[in-house]
Amino acid sequence: MKEFKLNNIPKIESGFKTPDELYFENFSVNLLNQLPKKEPKTISLFQKKKSIIMMVAAVFVLALAIPSLIKNASKRNELDTITLENYLSYQSNINQYDLINALDEEDIKNIDQDIELKDQTIEDILISNNNIEHYIIE
């Protein structure tokens, strides 16, 4: 390897050169001349109309959507009677006496309705149901 001494001549020139002194004196003037000139901002009349139309459309969509959302929300909170009956019938730790004790007077009045069943309807239910012994025992 060759020895490298900083004080020896010829030295390697760098690739960079500084411009003449006028460059630094006129730099700010040249830079400002190259910048684009400010033009006044123009606002289209149709732009305001578009935003107003979009706001009216959004209010219209909300007005149509709110009743359906309220209707769907109320349906989700209600229990389906068939689901409730199936749940109560398959629970082994709940019997008819527990249900009777849980009823209020108002619930009993709601249950106490005159239901007219024809003999043919009762026969059809008993024939189609295979738990006849269960109903006879209770």
Side-chain angles (χ1 to χ4, degrees), residues 12-29:
I12 300 173
E13 292 183 20
S14 69
F16 301 104
K17 295 180 182 178
T18 57
D20 53 346
E21 294 178 19
L22 294 175
Y23 177 79
F24 292 109
E25 291 175 4
N26 298 329
F27 180 75
S28 61
V29 175

Side-chain angles (χ1 to χ4, degrees), residues 39 47 55 91 124:
E39 296 180 8
Q47 185 69 23
M55 283 189 259
Q91 293 299 318
D124 290 340

Side-chain angles (χ1 to χ4, degrees), residues 22 38 41 50 70 77 92-93 97 109 123 133:
L22 294 175
K38 291 185 179 179
K41 186 176 180 181
K50 285 180 185 178
I70 291 173
N77 293 336
S92 62
N93 58 354
Y97 302 109
K109 288 178 184 177
E123 288 177 7
E133 296 172 0

Side-chain angles (χ1 to χ4, degrees), residues 7 29 43 50 87 105 131:
N7 296 331
V29 175
I43 300 174
K50 285 180 185 178
Y87 174 76
E105 289 183 24
N131 290 336

